[in-house]
């Protein structure tokens, strides 16, 4: 049975910005990203990791393999968000 995607962003309308951020971060990591389909970068990441991820049903894919792909993408995005936040904090004037 296919699992429905229940992940929703808390801020309405933020999806376009998040997708653009994902595309930019993964482009900086050296992956070819279609800005109109940034989620497709997961197939390129999977290929570099040797994970047999394909569009459609991946029922035979282990949780560990799926986690390696998602972790590579999400971990890179989180590191970049932290870097950006630290950069912003250093620019704030002290009161």
């Amino acid at each position: 049975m296919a699992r429905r995607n229940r992940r929703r962003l808390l801020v309405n309308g933020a999806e376009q910005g998040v997708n653009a951020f994902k595309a930019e971060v993964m482009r900086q990591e050296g992956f070819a990203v279609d800005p109109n389909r940034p989620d497709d970068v997961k197939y390129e990441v999977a290929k570099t990791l040797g994970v047999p991820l394909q569009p459609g049903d991946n029922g035979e894919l282990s949780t560990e393999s799926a986690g390696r792909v998602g972790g590579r993408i999400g971990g890179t995005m989180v590191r970049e968000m932290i870097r950006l936040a630290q950069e912003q904090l250093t620019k704030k004037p002290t009161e």
Side-chain angles (χ1 to χ4, degrees):
M1 177 187 237
R3 192 185 111 202
R4 286 195 337 224
N5 187 356
R6 295 184 183 150
R7 293 183 183 196
R8 285 182 249 145
L9 297 175
L10 294 176
V11 178
N12 288 331
E15 185 173 335
Q16 186 177 12
V18 170
N19 284 340
F21 179 71
K22 180 190 291 185
E24 180 58 30
V25 168
M26 295 315 291
R27 191 176 299 108
Q28 290 174 4
E29 287 290 304
F31 293 100
V33 181
D34 178 356
N36 298 318
R37 299 178 57 110
D39 284 339
D40 287 355
V41 75
K42 64 186 167 193
Y43 302 113
E44 189 176 343
V45 171
K47 185 177 177 182
T48 64
L49 296 173
V51 175
L53 181 68
Q54 299 295 321
D57 183 30
N58 286 285
E60 299 295 319
L61 194 63
S62 72
T63 303
E64 180 182 355
S65 293
R68 287 177 50 212
V69 174
R72 173 77 188 269
I73 296 169
T76 303
M77 289 176 64
V78 168
R79 280 189 295 279
E80 180 63 10
M81 284 187 268
I82 291 170
R83 188 193 68 74
L84 290 170
Q86 288 173 333
E87 187 177 287
Q88 292 245 333
L89 286 172
T90 60
K91 290 181 180 178
K92 278 194 171 187
T94 55
E95 293 181 33

